[in-house]
PDB file of all heavy atoms in Angstrom:
ATOM      1  N   LEU A  15      -5.811   2.410 -14.144  1.00  0.00           N
ATOM      2  CA  LEU A  15      -7.168   2.151 -14.614  1.00  0.00           C
ATOM      3  C   LEU A  15      -7.307   0.903 -15.438  1.00  0.00           C
ATOM      4  O   LEU A  15      -8.380   0.615 -16.001  1.00  0.00           O
ATOM      5  CB  LEU A  15      -7.588   3.408 -15.416  1.00  0.00           C
ATOM      6  CG  LEU A  15      -7.568   4.675 -14.659  1.00  0.00           C
ATOM      7  CD1 LEU A  15      -7.999   5.822 -15.525  1.00  0.00           C
ATOM      8  CD2 LEU A  15      -8.409   4.614 -13.410  1.00  0.00           C
ATOM      9  N   LYS A  16      -6.283   0.110 -15.512  1.00  0.00           N
ATOM     10  CA  LYS A  16      -6.364  -1.140 -16.318  1.00  0.00           C
ATOM     11  C   LYS A  16      -5.492  -2.200 -15.714  1.00  0.00           C
ATOM     12  O   LYS A  16      -4.554  -1.881 -14.917  1.00  0.00           O
ATOM     13  CB  LYS A  16      -5.998  -0.898 -17.777  1.00  0.00           C
ATOM     14  CG  LYS A  16      -4.561  -0.520 -17.964  1.00  0.00           C
ATOM     15  CD  LYS A  16      -4.221  -0.337 -19.460  1.00  0.00           C
ATOM     16  CE  LYS A  16      -2.715  -0.011 -19.615  1.00  0.00           C
ATOM     17  NZ  LYS A  16      -2.416   0.174 -21.126  1.00  0.00           N
ATOM     18  N   ASP A  17      -5.685  -3.392 -16.100  1.00  0.00           N
ATOM     19  CA  ASP A  17      -4.793  -4.463 -15.612  1.00  0.00           C
ATOM     20  C   ASP A  17      -3.494  -4.418 -16.338  1.00  0.00           C
ATOM     21  O   ASP A  17      -3.397  -4.209 -17.492  1.00  0.00           O
ATOM     22  CB  ASP A  17      -5.477  -5.824 -15.865  1.00  0.00           C
ATOM     23  CG  ASP A  17      -6.651  -6.043 -14.955  1.00  0.00           C
ATOM     24  OD1 ASP A  17      -6.773  -5.358 -13.970  1.00  0.00           O
ATOM     25  OD2 ASP A  17      -7.458  -6.915 -15.320  1.00  0.00           O
ATOM     26  N   GLY A  18      -2.385  -4.616 -15.537  1.00  0.00           N
ATOM     27  CA  GLY A  18      -1.022  -4.725 -16.107  1.00  0.00           C
ATOM     28  C   GLY A  18      -0.784  -6.017 -16.722  1.00  0.00           C
ATOM     29  O   GLY A  18      -1.634  -6.920 -16.837  1.00  0.00           O
ATOM     30  N   ALA A  19       0.453  -6.245 -17.045  1.00  0.00           N
ATOM     31  CA  ALA A  19       0.878  -7.576 -17.676  1.00  0.00           C
ATOM     32  C   ALA A  19       0.564  -8.728 -16.742  1.00  0.00           C
ATOM     33  O   ALA A  19       0.268  -9.838 -17.196  1.00  0.00           O
ATOM     34  CB  ALA A  19       2.304  -7.519 -18.006  1.00  0.00           C
ATOM     35  N   ASP A  20       0.627  -8.547 -15.433  1.00  0.00           N
ATOM     36  CA  ASP A  20       0.348  -9.572 -14.496  1.00  0.00           C
ATOM     37  C   ASP A  20      -1.133  -9.674 -14.059  1.00  0.00           C
ATOM     38  O   ASP A  20      -1.442 -10.421 -13.117  1.00  0.00           O
ATOM     39  CB  ASP A  20       1.259  -9.462 -13.207  1.00  0.00           C
ATOM     40  CG  ASP A  20       1.003  -8.165 -12.508  1.00  0.00           C
ATOM     41  OD1 ASP A  20       0.169  -7.344 -12.985  1.00  0.00           O
ATOM     42  OD2 ASP A  20       1.621  -7.932 -11.478  1.00  0.00           O
ATOM     43  N   GLY A  21      -1.959  -8.870 -14.720  1.00  0.00           N
ATOM     44  CA  GLY A  21      -3.392  -8.862 -14.492  1.00  0.00           C
ATOM     45  C   GLY A  21      -3.781  -8.071 -13.256  1.00  0.00           C
ATOM     46  O   GLY A  21      -4.917  -8.085 -12.824  1.00  0.00           O
ATOM     47  N   ARG A  22      -2.886  -7.223 -12.730  1.00  0.00           N
ATOM     48  CA  ARG A  22      -3.163  -6.431 -11.541  1.00  0.00           C
ATOM     49  C   ARG A  22      -3.045  -4.958 -11.871  1.00  0.00           C
ATOM     50  O   ARG A  22      -2.179  -4.590 -12.629  1.00  0.00           O
ATOM     51  CB  ARG A  22      -2.280  -6.716 -10.373  1.00  0.00           C
ATOM     52  CG  ARG A  22      -2.475  -8.154  -9.819  1.00  0.00           C
ATOM     53  CD  ARG A  22      -1.571  -8.368  -8.595  1.00  0.00           C
ATOM     54  NE  ARG A  22      -0.204  -8.338  -8.968  1.00  0.00           N
ATOM     55  CZ  ARG A  22       0.756  -8.281  -7.980  1.00  0.00           C
ATOM     56  NH1 ARG A  22       0.490  -8.212  -6.717  1.00  0.00           N
ATOM     57  NH2 ARG A  22       2.073  -8.271  -8.391  1.00  0.00           N
ATOM     58  N   SER A  23      -3.918  -4.105 -11.292  1.00  0.00           N
ATOM     59  CA  SER A  23      -3.757  -2.703 -11.436  1.00  0.00           C
ATOM     60  C   SER A  23      -2.634  -2.205 -10.547  1.00  0.00           C
ATOM     61  O   SER A  23      -2.166  -2.913  -9.619  1.00  0.00           O
ATOM     62  CB  SER A  23      -5.050  -1.980 -11.054  1.00  0.00           C
ATOM     63  OG  SER A  23      -5.291  -2.119  -9.640  1.00  0.00           O
ATOM     64  N   VAL A  24      -2.266  -0.962 -10.740  1.00  0.00           N
ATOM     65  CA  VAL A  24      -1.230  -0.395  -9.878  1.00  0.00           C
ATOM     66  C   VAL A  24      -1.659  -0.315  -8.415  1.00  0.00           C
ATOM     67  O   VAL A  24      -0.956  -0.503  -7.441  1.00  0.00           O
ATOM     68  CB  VAL A  24      -0.782   1.025 -10.378  1.00  0.00           C
ATOM     69  CG1 VAL A  24      -0.038   1.748  -9.299  1.00  0.00           C
ATOM     70  CG2 VAL A  24       0.102   0.870 -11.602  1.00  0.00           C
ATOM     71  N   LEU A  25      -2.999   0.030  -8.237  1.00  0.00           N
ATOM     72  CA  LEU A  25      -3.536   0.009  -6.862  1.00  0.00           C
ATOM     73  C   LEU A  25      -3.393  -1.315  -6.167  1.00  0.00           C
ATOM     74  O   LEU A  25      -2.895  -1.420  -5.084  1.00  0.00           O
ATOM     75  CB  LEU A  25      -5.056   0.382  -6.894  1.00  0.00           C
ATOM     76  CG  LEU A  25      -5.403   1.822  -7.260  1.00  0.00           C
ATOM     77  CD1 LEU A  25      -6.857   1.964  -7.383  1.00  0.00           C
ATOM     78  CD2 LEU A  25      -4.814   2.765  -6.233  1.00  0.00           C
ATOM     79  N   GLU A  26      -3.763  -2.337  -6.914  1.00  0.00           N
ATOM     80  CA  GLU A  26      -3.653  -3.679  -6.288  1.00  0.00           C
ATOM     81  C   GLU A  26      -2.225  -4.130  -6.113  1.00  0.00           C
ATOM     82  O   GLU A  26      -1.850  -4.784  -5.150  1.00  0.00           O
ATOM     83  CB  GLU A  26      -4.454  -4.674  -7.160  1.00  0.00           C
ATOM     84  CG  GLU A  26      -4.540  -6.113  -6.663  1.00  0.00           C
ATOM     85  CD  GLU A  26      -5.236  -7.088  -7.536  1.00  0.00           C
ATOM     86  OE1 GLU A  26      -5.576  -6.632  -8.667  1.00  0.00           O
ATOM     87  OE2 GLU A  26      -5.480  -8.214  -7.139  1.00  0.00           O
ATOM     88  N   LYS A  27      -1.371  -3.785  -7.048  1.00  0.00           N
ATOM     89  CA  LYS A  27       0.051  -4.302  -7.022  1.00  0.00           C
ATOM     90  C   LYS A  27       0.881  -3.550  -6.077  1.00  0.00           C
ATOM     91  O   LYS A  27       1.700  -4.132  -5.343  1.00  0.00           O
ATOM     92  CB  LYS A  27       0.594  -4.163  -8.436  1.00  0.00           C
ATOM     93  CG  LYS A  27       2.071  -4.633  -8.551  1.00  0.00           C
ATOM     94  CD  LYS A  27       2.567  -4.557  -9.943  1.00  0.00           C
ATOM     95  CE  LYS A  27       4.033  -5.043 -10.133  1.00  0.00           C
ATOM     96  NZ  LYS A  27       4.529  -4.937 -11.484  1.00  0.00           N
ATOM     97  N   TRP A  28       0.697  -2.226  -5.981  1.00  0.00           N
ATOM     98  CA  TRP A  28       1.592  -1.360  -5.216  1.00  0.00           C
ATOM     99  C   TRP A  28       0.985  -0.823  -3.987  1.00  0.00           C
ATOM    100  O   TRP A  28       1.455  -0.952  -2.805  1.00  0.00           O
ATOM    101  CB  TRP A  28       2.181  -0.251  -6.030  1.00  0.00           C
ATOM    102  CG  TRP A  28       3.096  -0.712  -7.147  1.00  0.00           C
ATOM    103  CD1 TRP A  28       2.862  -0.696  -8.469  1.00  0.00           C
ATOM    104  CD2 TRP A  28       4.462  -1.208  -6.987  1.00  0.00           C
ATOM    105  NE1 TRP A  28       3.949  -1.140  -9.172  1.00  0.00           N
ATOM    106  CE2 TRP A  28       4.963  -1.502  -8.278  1.00  0.00           C
ATOM    107  CE3 TRP A  28       5.260  -1.525  -5.893  1.00  0.00           C
ATOM    108  CZ2 TRP A  28       6.219  -2.024  -8.503  1.00  0.00           C
ATOM    109  CZ3 TRP A  28       6.494  -2.062  -6.080  1.00  0.00           C
ATOM    110  CH2 TRP A  28       6.930  -2.298  -7.412  1.00  0.00           C
ATOM    111  N   TYR A  29      -0.116  -0.034  -4.186  1.00  0.00           N
ATOM    112  CA  TYR A  29      -0.738   0.754  -3.072  1.00  0.00           C
ATOM    113  C   TYR A  29      -1.246  -0.193  -1.964  1.00  0.00           C
ATOM    114  O   TYR A  29      -0.980  -0.023  -0.782  1.00  0.00           O
ATOM    115  CB  TYR A  29      -1.880   1.612  -3.501  1.00  0.00           C
ATOM    116  CG  TYR A  29      -1.440   2.826  -4.262  1.00  0.00           C
ATOM    117  CD1 TYR A  29      -1.301   2.839  -5.653  1.00  0.00           C
ATOM    118  CD2 TYR A  29      -1.135   4.061  -3.623  1.00  0.00           C
ATOM    119  CE1 TYR A  29      -0.912   4.007  -6.384  1.00  0.00           C
ATOM    120  CE2 TYR A  29      -0.770   5.204  -4.316  1.00  0.00           C
ATOM    121  CZ  TYR A  29      -0.670   5.163  -5.716  1.00  0.00           C
ATOM    122  OH  TYR A  29      -0.289   6.298  -6.368  1.00  0.00           O
ATOM    123  N   HIS A  30      -2.080  -1.205  -2.302  1.00  0.00           N
ATOM    124  CA  HIS A  30      -2.753  -1.975  -1.306  1.00  0.00           C
ATOM    125  C   HIS A  30      -1.759  -2.685  -0.409  1.00  0.00           C
ATOM    126  O   HIS A  30      -1.946  -2.635   0.858  1.00  0.00           O
ATOM    127  CB  HIS A  30      -3.700  -2.954  -1.971  1.00  0.00           C
ATOM    128  CG  HIS A  30      -4.832  -2.332  -2.699  1.00  0.00           C
ATOM    129  ND1 HIS A  30      -5.763  -3.075  -3.446  1.00  0.00           N
ATOM    130  CD2 HIS A  30      -5.146  -1.068  -2.842  1.00  0.00           C
ATOM    131  CE1 HIS A  30      -6.661  -2.173  -3.973  1.00  0.00           C
ATOM    132  NE2 HIS A  30      -6.306  -0.925  -3.678  1.00  0.00           N
ATOM    133  N   PRO A  31      -0.773  -3.373  -0.901  1.00  0.00           N
ATOM    134  CA  PRO A  31       0.194  -3.989   0.032  1.00  0.00           C
ATOM    135  C   PRO A  31       0.855  -3.038   0.996  1.00  0.00           C
ATOM    136  O   PRO A  31       1.081  -3.334   2.155  1.00  0.00           O
ATOM    137  CB  PRO A  31       1.221  -4.638  -0.921  1.00  0.00           C
ATOM    138  CG  PRO A  31       0.458  -4.864  -2.231  1.00  0.00           C
ATOM    139  CD  PRO A  31      -0.391  -3.681  -2.332  1.00  0.00           C
ATOM    140  N   ILE A  32       1.167  -1.776   0.475  1.00  0.00           N
ATOM    141  CA  ILE A  32       1.798  -0.801   1.372  1.00  0.00           C
ATOM    142  C   ILE A  32       0.853  -0.417   2.540  1.00  0.00           C
ATOM    143  O   ILE A  32       1.277  -0.316   3.665  1.00  0.00           O
ATOM    144  CB  ILE A  32       2.293   0.370   0.531  1.00  0.00           C
ATOM    145  CG1 ILE A  32       3.475   0.023  -0.433  1.00  0.00           C
ATOM    146  CG2 ILE A  32       2.696   1.551   1.424  1.00  0.00           C
ATOM    147  CD1 ILE A  32       3.800   1.070  -1.395  1.00  0.00           C
ATOM    148  N   PHE A  33      -0.398  -0.129   2.142  1.00  0.00           N
ATOM    149  CA  PHE A  33      -1.344   0.308   3.157  1.00  0.00           C
ATOM    150  C   PHE A  33      -1.584  -0.785   4.189  1.00  0.00           C
ATOM    151  O   PHE A  33      -1.674  -0.537   5.399  1.00  0.00           O
ATOM    152  CB  PHE A  33      -2.656   0.723   2.560  1.00  0.00           C
ATOM    153  CG  PHE A  33      -2.645   2.209   1.987  1.00  0.00           C
ATOM    154  CD1 PHE A  33      -2.594   2.411   0.663  1.00  0.00           C
ATOM    155  CD2 PHE A  33      -2.668   3.220   2.920  1.00  0.00           C
ATOM    156  CE1 PHE A  33      -2.609   3.773   0.212  1.00  0.00           C
ATOM    157  CE2 PHE A  33      -2.664   4.514   2.474  1.00  0.00           C
ATOM    158  CZ  PHE A  33      -2.615   4.800   1.090  1.00  0.00           C
ATOM    159  N   LEU A  34      -1.645  -2.022   3.706  1.00  0.00           N
ATOM    160  CA  LEU A  34      -1.836  -3.149   4.639  1.00  0.00           C
ATOM    161  C   LEU A  34      -0.659  -3.328   5.533  1.00  0.00           C
ATOM    162  O   LEU A  34      -0.770  -3.686   6.721  1.00  0.00           O
ATOM    163  CB  LEU A  34      -2.194  -4.462   3.891  1.00  0.00           C
ATOM    164  CG  LEU A  34      -3.539  -4.443   3.141  1.00  0.00           C
ATOM    165  CD1 LEU A  34      -3.704  -5.714   2.302  1.00  0.00           C
ATOM    166  CD2 LEU A  34      -4.665  -4.267   4.142  1.00  0.00           C
ATOM    167  N   ARG A  35       0.521  -3.124   4.998  1.00  0.00           N
ATOM    168  CA  ARG A  35       1.753  -3.269   5.812  1.00  0.00           C
ATOM    169  C   ARG A  35       1.819  -2.135   6.894  1.00  0.00           C
ATOM    170  O   ARG A  35       2.183  -2.346   8.065  1.00  0.00           O
ATOM    171  CB  ARG A  35       2.966  -3.314   5.006  1.00  0.00           C
ATOM    172  CG  ARG A  35       3.130  -4.539   4.153  1.00  0.00           C
ATOM    173  CD  ARG A  35       4.288  -4.467   3.118  1.00  0.00           C
ATOM    174  NE  ARG A  35       5.550  -4.771   3.788  1.00  0.00           N
ATOM    175  CZ  ARG A  35       6.739  -4.912   3.027  1.00  0.00           C
ATOM    176  NH1 ARG A  35       6.686  -4.805   1.732  1.00  0.00           N
ATOM    177  NH2 ARG A  35       7.800  -5.170   3.686  1.00  0.00           N
ATOM    178  N   LEU A  36       1.330  -0.956   6.511  1.00  0.00           N
ATOM    179  CA  LEU A  36       1.264   0.077   7.499  1.00  0.00           C
ATOM    180  C   LEU A  36       0.282  -0.214   8.554  1.00  0.00           C
ATOM    181  O   LEU A  36       0.468   0.021   9.776  1.00  0.00           O
ATOM    182  CB  LEU A  36       0.908   1.453   6.824  1.00  0.00           C
ATOM    183  CG  LEU A  36       1.983   2.074   5.929  1.00  0.00           C
ATOM    184  CD1 LEU A  36       1.469   3.186   5.096  1.00  0.00           C
ATOM    185  CD2 LEU A  36       3.152   2.557   6.790  1.00  0.00           C
ATOM    186  N   ARG A  37      -0.880  -0.777   8.191  1.00  0.00           N
ATOM    187  CA  ARG A  37      -1.846  -1.107   9.201  1.00  0.00           C
ATOM    188  C   ARG A  37      -1.330  -2.192  10.144  1.00  0.00           C
ATOM    189  O   ARG A  37      -1.615  -2.115  11.315  1.00  0.00           O
ATOM    190  CB  ARG A  37      -3.134  -1.675   8.440  1.00  0.00           C
ATOM    191  CG  ARG A  37      -4.270  -2.127   9.395  1.00  0.00           C
ATOM    192  CD  ARG A  37      -5.225  -3.053   8.770  1.00  0.00           C
ATOM    193  NE  ARG A  37      -4.610  -4.326   8.386  1.00  0.00           N
ATOM    194  CZ  ARG A  37      -5.284  -5.303   7.777  1.00  0.00           C
ATOM    195  NH1 ARG A  37      -6.471  -5.121   7.410  1.00  0.00           N
ATOM    196  NH2 ARG A  37      -4.653  -6.419   7.448  1.00  0.00           N
ATOM    197  N   ASP A  38      -0.548  -3.104   9.629  1.00  0.00           N
ATOM    198  CA  ASP A  38      -0.078  -4.237  10.518  1.00  0.00           C
ATOM    199  C   ASP A  38       1.249  -4.030  11.157  1.00  0.00           C
ATOM    200  O   ASP A  38       1.827  -4.902  11.735  1.00  0.00           O
ATOM    201  CB  ASP A  38      -0.013  -5.533   9.620  1.00  0.00           C
ATOM    202  CG  ASP A  38      -1.391  -5.867   9.070  1.00  0.00           C
ATOM    203  OD1 ASP A  38      -2.429  -5.610   9.721  1.00  0.00           O
ATOM    204  OD2 ASP A  38      -1.474  -6.644   8.057  1.00  0.00           O
ATOM    205  N   LEU A  39       1.773  -2.741  11.098  1.00  0.00           N
ATOM    206  CA  LEU A  39       3.056  -2.453  11.707  1.00  0.00           C
ATOM    207  C   LEU A  39       2.990  -2.819  13.159  1.00  0.00           C
ATOM    208  O   LEU A  39       2.046  -2.647  13.885  1.00  0.00           O
ATOM    209  CB  LEU A  39       3.392  -1.002  11.614  1.00  0.00           C
ATOM    210  CG  LEU A  39       4.105  -0.498  10.371  1.00  0.00           C
ATOM    211  CD1 LEU A  39       4.293   1.015  10.559  1.00  0.00           C
ATOM    212  CD2 LEU A  39       5.506  -1.163  10.248  1.00  0.00           C
ATOM    213  N   ARG A  40       4.127  -3.371  13.716  1.00  0.00           N
ATOM    214  CA  ARG A  40       4.287  -3.651  15.123  1.00  0.00           C
ATOM    215  C   ARG A  40       4.936  -2.525  15.906  1.00  0.00           C
ATOM    216  O   ARG A  40       5.704  -2.718  16.768  1.00  0.00           O
ATOM    217  CB  ARG A  40       5.047  -4.973  15.249  1.00  0.00           C
ATOM    218  CG  ARG A  40       4.328  -6.153  14.716  1.00  0.00           C
ATOM    219  CD  ARG A  40       5.076  -7.492  14.952  1.00  0.00           C
ATOM    220  NE  ARG A  40       5.171  -7.703  16.422  1.00  0.00           N
ATOM    221  CZ  ARG A  40       4.189  -8.232  17.128  1.00  0.00           C
ATOM    222  NH1 ARG A  40       3.004  -8.540  16.609  1.00  0.00           N
ATOM    223  NH2 ARG A  40       4.359  -8.454  18.439  1.00  0.00           N
ATOM    224  N   MET A  41       4.552  -1.357  15.471  1.00  0.00           N
ATOM    225  CA  MET A  41       5.017  -0.095  16.196  1.00  0.00           C
ATOM    226  C   MET A  41       4.075   1.023  15.880  1.00  0.00           C
ATOM    227  O   MET A  41       3.341   1.030  14.939  1.00  0.00           O
ATOM    228  CB  MET A  41       6.439   0.258  15.688  1.00  0.00           C
ATOM    229  CG  MET A  41       6.525   0.764  14.279  1.00  0.00           C
ATOM    230  SD  MET A  41       8.164   1.074  13.609  1.00  0.00           S
ATOM    231  CE  MET A  41       8.737  -0.581  13.309  1.00  0.00           C
ATOM    232  N   PRO A  42       4.050   2.060  16.761  1.00  0.00           N
ATOM    233  CA  PRO A  42       3.219   3.238  16.494  1.00  0.00           C
ATOM    234  C   PRO A  42       3.639   3.981  15.230  1.00  0.00           C
ATOM    235  O   PRO A  42       4.861   3.876  14.875  1.00  0.00           O
ATOM    236  CB  PRO A  42       3.347   4.103  17.725  1.00  0.00           C
ATOM    237  CG  PRO A  42       3.840   3.167  18.775  1.00  0.00           C
ATOM    238  CD  PRO A  42       4.698   2.123  18.055  1.00  0.00           C
ATOM    239  N   TYR A  43       2.713   4.626  14.580  1.00  0.00           N
ATOM    240  CA  TYR A  43       2.930   5.274  13.252  1.00  0.00           C
ATOM    241  C   TYR A  43       2.364   6.707  13.302  1.00  0.00           C
ATOM    242  O   TYR A  43       1.125   6.802  13.559  1.00  0.00           O
ATOM    243  CB  TYR A  43       2.342   4.349  12.210  1.00  0.00           C
ATOM    244  CG  TYR A  43       2.065   4.948  10.814  1.00  0.00           C
ATOM    245  CD1 TYR A  43       2.856   5.880  10.235  1.00  0.00           C
ATOM    246  CD2 TYR A  43       0.942   4.437  10.106  1.00  0.00           C
ATOM    247  CE1 TYR A  43       2.573   6.357   9.045  1.00  0.00           C
ATOM    248  CE2 TYR A  43       0.631   4.978   8.850  1.00  0.00           C
ATOM    249  CZ  TYR A  43       1.442   5.887   8.309  1.00  0.00           C
ATOM    250  OH  TYR A  43       1.126   6.377   7.055  1.00  0.00           O
ATOM    251  N   ILE A  44       3.193   7.680  13.068  1.00  0.00           N
ATOM    252  CA  ILE A  44       2.721   9.112  13.113  1.00  0.00           C
ATOM    253  C   ILE A  44       2.912   9.711  11.680  1.00  0.00           C
ATOM    254  O   ILE A  44       3.938   9.438  11.044  1.00  0.00           O
ATOM    255  CB  ILE A  44       3.551   9.922  14.079  1.00  0.00           C
ATOM    256  CG1 ILE A  44       3.475   9.300  15.482  1.00  0.00           C
ATOM    257  CG2 ILE A  44       3.143  11.336  14.129  1.00  0.00           C
ATOM    258  CD1 ILE A  44       4.534   9.994  16.481  1.00  0.00           C
ATOM    259  N   THR A  45       1.955  10.550  11.266  1.00  0.00           N
ATOM    260  CA  THR A  45       2.222  11.312  10.136  1.00  0.00           C
ATOM    261  C   THR A  45       2.314  12.800  10.537  1.00  0.00           C
ATOM    262  O   THR A  45       1.534  13.277  11.311  1.00  0.00           O
ATOM    263  CB  THR A  45       1.114  11.175   9.027  1.00  0.00           C
ATOM    264  OG1 THR A  45      -0.128  11.252   9.672  1.00  0.00           O
ATOM    265  CG2 THR A  45       1.264   9.867   8.268  1.00  0.00           C
ATOM    266  N   ALA A  46       3.368  13.471   9.986  1.00  0.00           N
ATOM    267  CA  ALA A  46       3.565  14.897  10.188  1.00  0.00           C
ATOM    268  C   ALA A  46       3.201  15.599   8.919  1.00  0.00           C
ATOM    269  O   ALA A  46       4.010  15.633   7.991  1.00  0.00           O
ATOM    270  CB  ALA A  46       4.988  15.168  10.605  1.00  0.00           C
ATOM    271  N   VAL A  47       2.014  16.089   8.859  1.00  0.00           N
ATOM    272  CA  VAL A  47       1.450  16.663   7.597  1.00  0.00           C
ATOM    273  C   VAL A  47       1.942  18.101   7.475  1.00  0.00           C
ATOM    274  O   VAL A  47       1.325  19.015   8.105  1.00  0.00           O
ATOM    275  CB  VAL A  47      -0.107  16.556   7.539  1.00  0.00           C
ATOM    276  CG1 VAL A  47      -0.606  17.105   6.214  1.00  0.00           C
ATOM    277  CG2 VAL A  47      -0.531  15.103   7.855  1.00  0.00           C
ATOM    278  N   ASN A  48       2.992  18.323   6.718  1.00  0.00           N
ATOM    279  CA  ASN A  48       3.656  19.649   6.702  1.00  0.00           C
ATOM    280  C   ASN A  48       3.121  20.589   5.576  1.00  0.00           C
ATOM    281  O   ASN A  48       3.651  21.640   5.367  1.00  0.00           O
ATOM    282  CB  ASN A  48       5.153  19.420   6.508  1.00  0.00           C
ATOM    283  CG  ASN A  48       5.389  18.577   5.225  1.00  0.00           C
ATOM    284  OD1 ASN A  48       4.855  17.471   5.086  1.00  0.00           O
ATOM    285  ND2 ASN A  48       6.178  19.131   4.323  1.00  0.00           N
TER     286      ASN A  48
END
């Protein structure tokens, strides 16, 4: 909920890059929701 030392939130720093990398994967991606 606030900017970290580098001026970025945890969402911007961690979550967003992960979700974008999942979107751009060069392979199919399945979730098994257990």
Side-chain angles (χ1 to χ4, degrees):
L15 302 180
K16 67 179 183 178
D17 290 341
D20 60 357
R22 295 184 294 169
S23 69
V24 164
L25 289 175
E26 185 180 6
K27 180 177 180 179
W28 293 110
Y29 286 92
H30 296 177
I32 291 169
F33 278 108
L34 291 174
R35 291 172 79 173
L36 288 169
R37 181 198 65 182
D38 295 337
L39 272 179
R40 296 185 61 80
M41 69 185 76
Y43 161 36
I44 304 172
T45 45
V47 185
N48 56 305

